[in-house]
CSV table of all heavy atoms in Angstrom, one decimal:
chain,number,residue,atom,x,y,z
N,1,ILE,N,100.1,34.2,156.7
N,1,ILE,CA,101.0,33.2,157.3
N,1,ILE,C,100.7,31.8,156.8
N,1,ILE,O,101.6,31.0,156.4
N,1,ILE,CB,100.9,33.2,158.8
N,1,ILE,CG1,101.6,34.5,159.3
N,1,ILE,CG2,101.6,32.0,159.4
N,1,ILE,CD1,101.3,34.8,160.8
N,2,THR,N,99.4,31.4,156.7
N,2,THR,CA,99.0,30.1,156.2
N,2,THR,C,99.4,30.0,154.7
N,2,THR,O,99.8,28.9,154.3
N,2,THR,CB,97.5,29.9,156.4
N,2,THR,OG1,97.2,30.1,157.8
N,2,THR,CG2,97.0,28.6,155.9
N,3,TYR,N,99.2,31.1,153.9
N,3,TYR,CA,99.5,31.0,152.5
N,3,TYR,C,101.0,30.8,152.4
N,3,TYR,O,101.4,29.9,151.6
N,3,TYR,CB,99.2,32.4,151.8
N,3,TYR,CG,99.9,32.6,150.6
N,3,TYR,CD1,99.6,31.9,149.4
N,3,TYR,CD2,100.9,33.5,150.5
N,3,TYR,CE1,100.3,32.1,148.2
N,3,TYR,CE2,101.6,33.7,149.3
N,3,TYR,CZ,101.3,33.0,148.2
N,3,TYR,OH,102.0,33.2,147.0
N,4,PHE,N,101.9,31.5,153.1
N,4,PHE,CA,103.3,31.3,153.0
N,4,PHE,C,103.7,29.9,153.5
N,4,PHE,O,104.6,29.3,152.8
N,4,PHE,CB,104.1,32.4,153.8
N,4,PHE,CG,104.1,33.7,153.1
N,4,PHE,CD1,103.6,34.8,153.8
N,4,PHE,CD2,104.5,33.9,151.8
N,4,PHE,CE1,103.5,36.1,153.2
N,4,PHE,CE2,104.5,35.1,151.2
N,4,PHE,CZ,104.0,36.2,151.9
N,5,ALA,N,103.1,29.4,154.5
N,5,ALA,CA,103.5,28.1,155.0
N,5,ALA,C,103.1,27.0,154.0
N,5,ALA,O,103.8,26.1,153.7
N,5,ALA,CB,102.8,27.8,156.4
N,6,THR,N,101.9,27.1,153.4
N,6,THR,CA,101.4,26.2,152.4
N,6,THR,C,102.3,26.3,151.2
N,6,THR,O,102.6,25.2,150.6
N,6,THR,CB,100.0,26.5,152.1
N,6,THR,OG1,99.2,26.4,153.2
N,6,THR,CG2,99.4,25.5,151.0
N,7,SER,N,102.7,27.5,150.8
N,7,SER,CA,103.5,27.6,149.6
N,7,SER,C,104.9,26.9,149.8
N,7,SER,O,105.4,26.2,148.9
N,7,SER,CB,103.8,29.1,149.3
N,7,SER,OG,102.5,29.7,149.0
N,8,LEU,N,105.5,27.2,151.0
N,8,LEU,CA,106.8,26.5,151.2
N,8,LEU,C,106.7,25.0,151.3
N,8,LEU,O,107.5,24.3,150.6
N,8,LEU,CB,107.3,27.1,152.6
N,8,LEU,CG,108.7,26.5,153.0
N,8,LEU,CD1,109.8,26.9,152.0
N,8,LEU,CD2,109.0,27.0,154.4
N,9,LEU,N,105.7,24.5,152.0
N,9,LEU,CA,105.5,23.0,152.1
N,9,LEU,C,105.2,22.5,150.7
N,9,LEU,O,105.6,21.4,150.3
N,9,LEU,CB,104.5,22.7,153.1
N,9,LEU,CG,104.9,22.9,154.5
N,9,LEU,CD1,103.7,22.7,155.5
N,9,LEU,CD2,106.0,22.0,154.9
N,10,SER,N,104.4,23.2,149.9
N,10,SER,CA,104.0,22.7,148.6
N,10,SER,C,105.3,22.6,147.7
N,10,SER,O,105.4,21.7,146.9
N,10,SER,CB,103.0,23.5,147.9
N,10,SER,OG,101.8,23.4,148.6
N,11,PHE,N,106.1,23.7,147.8
N,11,PHE,CA,107.3,23.7,147.0
N,11,PHE,C,108.2,22.5,147.3
N,11,PHE,O,108.8,21.9,146.4
N,11,PHE,CB,108.1,25.0,147.2
N,11,PHE,CG,109.2,25.2,146.3
N,11,PHE,CD1,109.0,25.6,145.0
N,11,PHE,CD2,110.5,25.0,146.8
N,11,PHE,CE1,110.1,25.7,144.2
N,11,PHE,CE2,111.6,25.1,145.9
N,11,PHE,CZ,111.4,25.5,144.6
N,12,ILE,N,108.2,22.1,148.5
N,12,ILE,CA,109.1,21.0,148.9
N,12,ILE,C,108.4,19.6,148.7
N,12,ILE,O,109.1,18.7,148.2
N,12,ILE,CB,109.5,21.1,150.4
N,12,ILE,CG1,110.3,22.4,150.7
N,12,ILE,CG2,110.2,19.9,150.9
N,12,ILE,CD1,110.4,22.7,152.2
N,13,LEU,N,107.1,19.5,149.0
N,13,LEU,CA,106.5,18.2,149.0
N,13,LEU,C,105.7,17.8,147.8
N,13,LEU,O,105.5,16.6,147.5
N,13,LEU,CB,105.6,18.1,150.2
N,13,LEU,CG,106.3,18.3,151.6
N,13,LEU,CD1,105.3,18.3,152.7
N,13,LEU,CD2,107.3,17.1,151.8
N,14,VAL,N,105.1,18.8,147.1
N,14,VAL,CA,104.2,18.5,146.0
N,14,VAL,C,105.0,18.2,144.7
N,14,VAL,O,105.8,19.0,144.3
N,14,VAL,CB,103.2,19.7,145.8
N,14,VAL,CG1,102.3,19.4,144.6
N,14,VAL,CG2,102.3,19.8,147.0
N,15,ALA,N,104.7,17.1,144.1
N,15,ALA,CA,105.5,16.7,142.9
N,15,ALA,C,105.1,17.5,141.7
N,15,ALA,O,105.9,17.7,140.8
N,15,ALA,CB,105.3,15.2,142.7
N,16,ASP,N,103.8,17.8,141.5
N,16,ASP,CA,103.3,18.5,140.4
N,16,ASP,C,103.6,20.0,140.5
N,16,ASP,O,103.0,20.7,141.2
N,16,ASP,CB,101.8,18.3,140.2
N,16,ASP,CG,101.2,18.8,138.9
N,16,ASP,OD1,101.9,19.7,138.3
N,16,ASP,OD2,100.1,18.4,138.5
N,17,LYS,N,104.7,20.4,139.8
N,17,LYS,CA,105.2,21.8,139.9
N,17,LYS,C,104.2,22.8,139.3
N,17,LYS,O,104.1,23.9,139.7
N,17,LYS,CB,106.5,21.9,139.3
N,17,LYS,CG,107.6,21.1,140.0
N,17,LYS,CD,107.7,21.4,141.5
N,17,LYS,CE,108.6,20.5,142.2
N,17,LYS,NZ,108.5,20.5,143.6
N,18,GLU,N,103.4,22.4,138.3
N,18,GLU,CA,102.4,23.3,137.7
N,18,GLU,C,101.3,23.6,138.8
N,18,GLU,O,101.0,24.8,138.9
N,18,GLU,CB,101.8,22.7,136.5
N,18,GLU,CG,100.9,23.6,135.7
N,18,GLU,CD,100.5,23.1,134.4
N,18,GLU,OE1,100.5,21.8,134.2
N,18,GLU,OE2,100.1,23.9,133.6
N,19,CYS,N,100.9,22.6,139.4
N,19,CYS,CA,99.9,22.8,140.5
N,19,CYS,C,100.4,23.7,141.6
N,19,CYS,O,99.8,24.6,142.0
N,19,CYS,CB,99.5,21.4,141.1
N,19,CYS,SG,98.3,21.5,142.4
N,20,MET,N,101.7,23.4,142.0
N,20,MET,CA,102.3,24.2,143.1
N,20,MET,C,102.4,25.7,142.7
N,20,MET,O,102.1,26.6,143.4
N,20,MET,CB,103.7,23.6,143.4
N,20,MET,CG,104.4,24.3,144.5
N,20,MET,SD,105.5,25.6,143.9
N,20,MET,CE,106.6,24.8,142.8
N,21,LEU,N,102.9,25.9,141.4
N,21,LEU,CA,103.1,27.3,141.0
N,21,LEU,C,101.7,28.0,140.8
N,21,LEU,O,101.6,29.2,141.0
N,21,LEU,CB,103.8,27.3,139.7
N,21,LEU,CG,105.3,27.1,139.8
N,21,LEU,CD1,106.0,27.1,138.4
N,21,LEU,CD2,106.0,28.2,140.6
N,22,MET,N,100.7,27.3,140.4
N,22,MET,CA,99.4,27.9,140.3
N,22,MET,C,98.9,28.4,141.6
N,22,MET,O,98.3,29.5,141.7
N,22,MET,CB,98.4,27.0,139.6
N,22,MET,CG,98.6,26.7,138.2
N,22,MET,SD,98.7,28.1,137.1
N,22,MET,CE,97.0,28.5,137.0
N,23,TYR,N,99.2,27.7,142.7
N,23,TYR,CA,98.8,28.1,144.0
N,23,TYR,C,99.7,29.2,144.5
N,23,TYR,O,99.2,30.3,144.9
N,23,TYR,CB,98.9,26.9,145.0
N,23,TYR,CG,98.6,27.4,146.4
N,23,TYR,CD1,97.3,27.5,146.8
N,23,TYR,CD2,99.7,27.6,147.3
N,23,TYR,CE1,97.0,28.0,148.1
N,23,TYR,CE2,99.4,28.1,148.6
N,23,TYR,CZ,98.1,28.2,149.0
N,23,TYR,OH,97.8,28.7,150.3
N,24,VAL,N,101.0,29.0,144.4
N,24,VAL,CA,102.0,30.0,145.0
N,24,VAL,C,101.9,31.4,144.3
N,24,VAL,O,101.9,32.4,144.9
N,24,VAL,CB,103.4,29.5,144.9
N,24,VAL,CG1,104.4,30.5,145.2
N,24,VAL,CG2,103.6,28.2,145.8
N,25,MET,N,101.8,31.4,143.0
N,25,MET,CA,101.9,32.6,142.2
N,25,MET,C,100.5,33.2,141.8
N,25,MET,O,100.5,34.3,141.3
N,25,MET,CB,102.7,32.4,140.9
N,25,MET,CG,104.1,32.0,141.3
N,25,MET,SD,105.2,31.9,139.8
N,25,MET,CE,105.2,33.6,139.3
N,26,LEU,N,99.4,32.5,142.2
N,26,LEU,CA,98.1,33.0,141.7
N,26,LEU,C,97.0,32.8,142.7
N,26,LEU,O,96.5,33.7,143.4
N,26,LEU,CB,97.8,32.5,140.3
N,26,LEU,CG,96.7,33.1,139.6
N,26,LEU,CD1,96.9,34.6,139.4
N,26,LEU,CD2,96.5,32.5,138.2
N,27,PHE,N,96.5,31.5,142.7
N,27,PHE,CA,95.3,31.2,143.4
N,27,PHE,C,95.4,31.2,144.9
N,27,PHE,O,94.4,31.2,145.6
N,27,PHE,CB,94.7,29.9,142.9
N,27,PHE,CG,94.3,30.0,141.5
N,27,PHE,CD1,94.9,29.2,140.5
N,27,PHE,CD2,93.3,30.9,141.0
N,27,PHE,CE1,94.5,29.3,139.2
N,27,PHE,CE2,92.9,31.0,139.7
N,27,PHE,CZ,93.5,30.2,138.8
N,28,GLY,N,96.6,31.1,145.5
N,28,GLY,CA,96.8,31.0,146.9
N,28,GLY,C,96.6,32.4,147.6
N,28,GLY,O,95.9,32.5,148.6
N,29,PHE,N,97.1,33.4,147.0
N,29,PHE,CA,97.0,34.8,147.6
N,29,PHE,C,95.9,35.6,147.0
N,29,PHE,O,95.5,36.6,147.6
N,29,PHE,CB,98.4,35.5,147.5
N,29,PHE,CG,98.7,36.0,146.1
N,29,PHE,CD1,98.3,37.2,145.6
N,29,PHE,CD2,99.5,35.2,145.3
N,29,PHE,CE1,98.6,37.6,144.3
N,29,PHE,CE2,99.8,35.6,144.0
N,29,PHE,CZ,99.4,36.8,143.5
N,30,TYR,N,95.3,35.2,145.9
N,30,TYR,CA,94.3,36.1,145.3
N,30,TYR,C,93.1,36.3,146.2
N,30,TYR,O,92.6,37.4,146.3
N,30,TYR,CB,93.8,35.5,143.9
N,30,TYR,CG,92.8,36.4,143.2
N,30,TYR,CD1,93.2,37.6,142.7
N,30,TYR,CD2,91.5,36.1,143.2
N,30,TYR,CE1,92.3,38.5,142.1
N,30,TYR,CE2,90.6,36.9,142.7
N,30,TYR,CZ,91.0,38.1,142.1
N,30,TYR,OH,90.1,39.0,141.5
N,31,PRO,N,92.6,35.2,146.9
N,31,PRO,CA,91.4,35.5,147.8
N,31,PRO,C,91.8,36.5,148.9
N,31,PRO,O,90.9,37.2,149.4
N,31,PRO,CB,91.1,34.1,148.4
N,31,PRO,CG,91.6,33.2,147.4
N,31,PRO,CD,92.8,33.8,146.8
N,32,ILE,N,93.0,36.6,149.3
N,32,ILE,CA,93.4,37.5,150.3
N,32,ILE,C,93.4,39.0,149.8
N,32,ILE,O,93.0,39.9,150.5
N,32,ILE,CB,94.8,37.2,150.9
N,32,ILE,CG1,94.8,35.7,151.4
N,32,ILE,CG2,95.3,38.1,152.0
N,32,ILE,CD1,96.2,35.2,151.8
N,33,ILE,N,93.9,39.2,148.6
N,33,ILE,CA,94.0,40.5,148.0
N,33,ILE,C,92.8,41.0,147.2
N,33,ILE,O,92.7,42.1,146.8
N,33,ILE,CB,95.2,40.7,147.2
N,33,ILE,CG1,95.2,39.8,145.9
N,33,ILE,CG2,96.5,40.4,148.0
N,33,ILE,CD1,96.3,40.2,144.9
N,34,GLN,N,91.8,40.1,147.0
N,34,GLN,CA,90.7,40.4,146.1
N,34,GLN,C,89.9,41.6,146.6
N,34,GLN,O,89.4,42.4,145.8
N,34,GLN,CB,89.7,39.2,146.0
N,34,GLN,CG,88.6,39.4,145.1
N,34,GLN,CD,87.5,38.3,145.2
N,34,GLN,OE1,87.3,37.7,146.2
N,34,GLN,NE2,86.8,38.2,144.1
N,35,SER,N,89.7,41.8,147.9
N,35,SER,CA,89.0,42.9,148.4
N,35,SER,C,89.6,44.2,148.1
N,35,SER,O,89.0,45.2,148.0
N,35,SER,CB,88.8,42.8,149.9
N,35,SER,OG,90.0,42.8,150.6
N,36,GLY,N,90.9,44.2,147.9
N,36,GLY,CA,91.6,45.4,147.4
N,36,GLY,C,91.2,45.9,146.0
N,36,GLY,O,91.1,47.1,145.8
N,37,PHE,N,90.9,44.9,145.2
N,37,PHE,CA,90.5,45.3,143.8
N,37,PHE,C,89.0,45.8,143.9
N,37,PHE,O,88.7,46.6,143.0
N,37,PHE,CB,90.5,44.0,142.9
N,37,PHE,CG,91.9,43.6,142.6
N,37,PHE,CD1,92.3,42.3,143.0
N,37,PHE,CD2,92.7,44.3,141.8
N,37,PHE,CE1,93.6,41.9,142.7
N,37,PHE,CE2,94.0,43.9,141.5
N,37,PHE,CZ,94.4,42.7,141.9
N,38,ASP,N,88.3,45.4,144.8
N,38,ASP,CA,86.9,45.9,144.9
N,38,ASP,C,86.8,47.3,145.3
N,38,ASP,O,85.7,47.9,145.2
N,38,ASP,CB,86.1,45.0,145.9
N,38,ASP,CG,85.9,43.6,145.5
N,38,ASP,OD1,86.0,43.4,144.2
N,38,ASP,OD2,85.7,42.7,146.3
N,39,LYS,N,87.9,47.9,145.7
N,39,LYS,CA,87.9,49.4,146.0
N,39,LYS,C,87.9,50.2,144.8
N,39,LYS,O,87.7,51.4,144.8
N,39,LYS,CB,89.1,49.7,146.9
N,39,LYS,CG,89.0,49.1,148.3
N,39,LYS,CD,90.2,49.4,149.1
N,39,LYS,CE,90.1,48.6,150.5
N,39,LYS,NZ,91.3,48.7,151.3
N,40,ILE,N,88.3,49.6,143.6
N,40,ILE,CA,88.2,50.3,142.3
N,40,ILE,C,86.7,50.5,142.0
N,40,ILE,O,86.0,49.5,141.8
N,40,ILE,CB,89.0,49.6,141.2
N,40,ILE,CG1,90.4,49.4,141.6
N,40,ILE,CG2,88.8,50.3,139.9
N,40,ILE,CD1,91.2,48.5,140.7
N,41,LYS,N,86.3,51.7,141.9
N,41,LYS,CA,84.8,52.0,141.7
N,41,LYS,C,84.3,51.7,140.3
N,41,LYS,O,83.2,51.2,140.1
N,41,LYS,CB,84.6,53.5,142.0
N,41,LYS,CG,84.9,53.9,143.4
N,41,LYS,CD,84.0,53.1,144.4
N,41,LYS,CE,84.4,53.6,145.8
N,41,LYS,NZ,83.8,52.7,146.8
N,42,ILE,N,85.1,51.9,139.2
N,42,ILE,CA,84.7,51.7,137.9
N,42,ILE,C,84.9,50.2,137.5
N,42,ILE,O,86.0,49.7,137.5
N,42,ILE,CB,85.5,52.6,136.9
N,42,ILE,CG1,85.3,54.1,137.3
N,42,ILE,CG2,85.0,52.4,135.5
N,42,ILE,CD1,86.2,55.0,136.6
N,43,SER,N,83.8,49.5,137.3
N,43,SER,CA,83.9,48.0,137.1
N,43,SER,C,84.7,47.6,135.9
N,43,SER,O,85.4,46.6,136.0
N,43,SER,CB,82.5,47.4,137.1
N,43,SER,OG,81.8,47.9,136.0
N,44,PHE,N,84.6,48.4,134.8
N,44,PHE,CA,85.4,48.1,133.6
N,44,PHE,C,86.9,48.1,133.9
N,44,PHE,O,87.7,47.2,133.5
N,44,PHE,CB,85.1,49.0,132.5
N,44,PHE,CG,85.8,48.8,131.2
N,44,PHE,CD1,85.6,47.7,130.4
N,44,PHE,CD2,86.9,49.7,130.9
N,44,PHE,CE1,86.3,47.5,129.3
N,44,PHE,CE2,87.6,49.4,129.7
N,44,PHE,CZ,87.3,48.3,128.9
N,45,ILE,N,87.3,49.1,134.6
N,45,ILE,CA,88.8,49.2,135.0
N,45,ILE,C,89.2,48.1,135.9
N,45,ILE,O,90.3,47.6,135.8
N,45,ILE,CB,89.1,50.6,135.5
N,45,ILE,CG1,88.9,51.7,134.4
N,45,ILE,CG2,90.5,50.7,136.1
N,45,ILE,CD1,89.0,53.1,134.9
N,46,LYS,N,88.3,47.8,136.9
N,46,LYS,CA,88.6,46.8,137.8
N,46,LYS,C,88.8,45.4,137.1
N,46,LYS,O,89.7,44.7,137.4
N,46,LYS,CB,87.4,46.6,138.8
N,46,LYS,CG,87.6,45.6,139.8
N,46,LYS,CD,86.5,45.4,140.9
N,46,LYS,CE,85.2,46.1,140.6
N,46,LYS,NZ,84.2,45.9,141.7
N,47,ILE,N,87.9,45.1,136.1
N,47,ILE,CA,88.1,43.9,135.4
N,47,ILE,C,89.4,43.9,134.6
N,47,ILE,O,90.1,42.9,134.5
N,47,ILE,CB,86.8,43.7,134.5
N,47,ILE,CG1,85.6,43.4,135.3
N,47,ILE,CG2,87.1,42.5,133.5
N,47,ILE,CD1,84.3,43.4,134.6
């Protein structure tokens, strides 16, 4: 919920669109889903 709210407000308020897109499309949600990648047992495949 916080990620979506921040994404929406950033899209509207933040002037630097590159910064906003880096958050919205990558770094904003990655910490939330990172633990899902850790379920992959073979580290080479995970990377």
Side-chain angles (χ1 to χ4, degrees):
I1 290 169
T2 303
Y3 161 74
F4 286 123
T6 302
S7 297
L8 180 64
L9 289 171
S10 294
F11 187 76
I12 296 168
L13 300 172
V14 174
D16 189 340
K17 296 305 176 196
E18 186 172 21
C19 180
M20 180 270 302
L21 282 176
M22 292 301 286
Y23 176 80
V24 170
M25 296 183 68
L26 190 59
F27 295 118
F29 71 87
Y30 184 74
I32 301 171
I33 66 167
Q34 183 192 26
S35 60
F37 291 116
D38 293 337
K39 293 177 183 174
I40 300 172
K41 299 295 181 197
I42 304 169
S43 61
F44 177 74
I45 293 175
K46 179 176 20 177
I47 292 170

